[in-house]
Amino acid sequence: MNLNNLFERLQDGDRVALARAITLVESARPEDKAMAAALVRSALQLQRASVRIGITGIPGVGKSTLIDALGSQLTAEGHRVAVLAIDPSSARSGGSILGDKTRMERLAADPNAFVRPSPSGGTLGGVARRTREAMLLCEAAGYDRILIETVGVGQNEAAVDQLTDLNLLLMIGGAGDSLQGIKRGIMEAADLIAINKTDGGNEQRNQRAAMDLRLAIALLPPRESGHHPDVLLCSAASGNGIARLAEALEHMAQRDMQSGHRLQRRQAQSRWWMRTAIEEALIDGFHADARIRALLPGMEQRVQQGEISPFDAAHELLRLYGHAD
Ligand code: GDP
């Protein structure tokens, strides 16, 4: 299948073509890279409307159950839903989130949903980049709601925040411990918080957890949208509160479109991806340089021995590389 043919089929919503295009984007083979770049370029030009939603939370909180329920709600409302994931740990741990499609039974069988496991291996930045490109391909294929799952560990949120329009943080209400184990960065990246598993019959405790969270959130600076995240209750398993959650997300997406925040956010993200690509290329170039490779170990030795300051050493190497006076 040639490039034009593949992109045409992808644009028609052909899932096989989409899956193949994403495989090219994820491939490390040099001969696939040019084709992948051309596909992403074509996808970018289409500029199809979409809402990109990050979904995060600690393992076991119910992310995949919620995505199954929320995604089904969205397809029932006429949307086409793509589910992607960022899970840099998957190569190491062997078990990847979304690796097991049976965890999203309804969506996996839904003709209007497309579920793709996290690209495995590599750095967080590399995985995030490949997920971004997969997302653009999904949008070109007509998927207008993109759900990106990530495990809440702090760093992943920062990467997801460079991809999404809105972030949903999933939590479980516990007796007064709802803030425990949640790092500040995770809360700060959330536009909406949902307390899941509210089907256990402990209504009062869940309401209390929501109240505690709202109080804690009020002390944090607002998101760049100018708003503090709202806190909702839901049960991904029973479906209670899922329609309300979908409605809240749609409302926020509309709000940010109208205020111009959505565009600003996407523009800032594009600048960020460019700067990151420059920095990575510079660093890769530096470490690939033959002189630097020859001199770096010796310079490290000298720095360790205190013969030269770390800054003088860095300056010396950069000067050799041609990046300092
Ligand atoms: P993830 O690791 O965050 O993706 O969590 P999963 O979606 O795999 O859910 C972890 C466990 O919690 C599974 O056994 C689910 O069936 C269960 N679970 C998820 N959502 C709910 C819920 O709303 N209520 C209850 N009671 N269990 C749930």
Side-chain angles (χ1 to χ4, degrees):
M1 210 188 316
N2 71 28
L3 185 69
N4 288 339
N5 193 265
L6 180 61
F7 193 71
E8 247 167 52
R9 281 179 48 191
L10 181 152
Q11 233 181 305
D12 289 342
D14 179 335
R15 306 160 67 101
V16 176
L18 175 59
R20 188 174 290 188
I22 294 177
T23 302
L24 284 174
V25 155
E26 290 173 354
S27 166
R29 288 166 48 183
E31 61 267 36
D32 291 339
K33 280 198 173 150
M35 198 154 164
L39 283 169
V40 170
R41 224 171 279 134
S42 307
L44 264 176
Q45 273 164 8
L46 283 183
Q47 303 236 7
R48 290 215 169 137
S50 69
V51 180
R52 305 165 177 172
I53 301 166
I55 295 167
T56 183
I58 56 170
V61 73
K63 291 180 296 299
S64 44
T65 311
L66 179 107
I67 289 171
D68 202 32
L70 179 66
S72 303
Q73 173 74 32
L74 291 171
T75 59
E77 290 173 11
H79 294 291
R80 296 185 69 212
V81 176
V83 182
L84 305 171
I86 291 185
D87 181 16
S89 65
S90 61
R92 249 177 301 144
S93 67
S96 91
I97 55 174
L98 289 181
D100 180 6
K101 278 193 187 180
T102 57
R103 294 202 304 151
M104 294 181 198
E105 272 172 11
R106 264 184 293 170
L107 276 190
D110 189 330
N112 289 311
F114 178 82
V115 180
R116 180 87 184 182
S118 173
S120 60
T123 60
L124 173 58
V127 171
R129 181 194 162 147
R130 280 172 279 160
T131 302
R132 176 182 160 86
E133 294 182 335
M135 172 176 83
L136 296 170
L137 294 172
C138 288
E139 289 172 353
Y143 291 89
D144 64 337
R145 292 295 178 273
I146 314 290
L147 306 179
I148 303 180
E149 176 183 11
T150 193
V151 178
V153 294
Q155 287 155 320
N156 292 1
E157 279 70 20
V160 160
D161 206 30
Q162 295 297 343
L163 291 178
T164 54
D165 302 319
L166 294 168
N167 297 325
L168 169 66
L169 170 62
L170 209 54
M171 297 181 75
I172 307 173
D177 62 356
S178 47
L179 293 175
Q180 277 177 24
I182 287 288
K183 296 195 191 81
R184 219 186 136 145
I186 296 179
M187 287 273 278
E188 282 177 355
D191 296 287
L192 183 64
I193 297 176
I195 298 180
N196 189 35
K197 307 199 186 185
T198 55
D199 47 85
N202 213 327
E203 175 70 15
Q204 220 177 350
R205 195 189 67 178
N206 292 322
Q207 292 291 355
R208 177 69 205 268
M211 190 65 84
D212 287 350
L213 263 173
R214 288 193 190 101
L215 290 172
I217 287 161
L219 300 174
L220 295 174
R223 291 278 287 161
E224 274 170 17
S225 63
H227 301 270
H228 281 98
D230 200 358
V231 181
L232 300 179
L233 301 178
C234 71
S235 163
S238 79
N240 261 344
I242 297 300
R244 172 83 192 82
L245 190 63
E247 197 185 307
L249 289 166
E250 292 295 316
H251 170 78
M252 295 166 76
Q254 285 292 328
R255 178 198 73 193
D256 291 347
M257 274 278 269
Q258 278 155 15
S259 72
H261 172 67
R262 226 279 287 281
L263 180 63
Q264 270 178 12
R265 184 172 159 83
R266 287 195 178 186
Q267 287 173 339
Q269 288 171 340
S270 295
R271 292 195 301 272
W272 185 91
W273 283 99
M274 183 186 79
R275 278 198 306 267
T276 303
I278 292 171
E279 282 159 24
E280 278 171 8
L282 285 173
I283 291 169
D284 288 352
F286 178 79
H287 287 292
D289 186 277
R291 287 160 308 169
I292 299 300
R293 285 161 69 122
L295 289 172
L296 191 61
M299 201 62 105
E300 280 177 342
Q301 278 290 332
R302 291 176 59 205
V303 167
Q304 261 172 225
Q305 307 293 337
E307 287 167 23
I308 180 170
S309 89
F311 309 103
D312 285 344
H315 192 263
E316 177 68 23
L317 289 172
L318 284 167
R319 195 180 55 76
L320 264 172
Y321 186 56
H323 280 280
D325 308 326

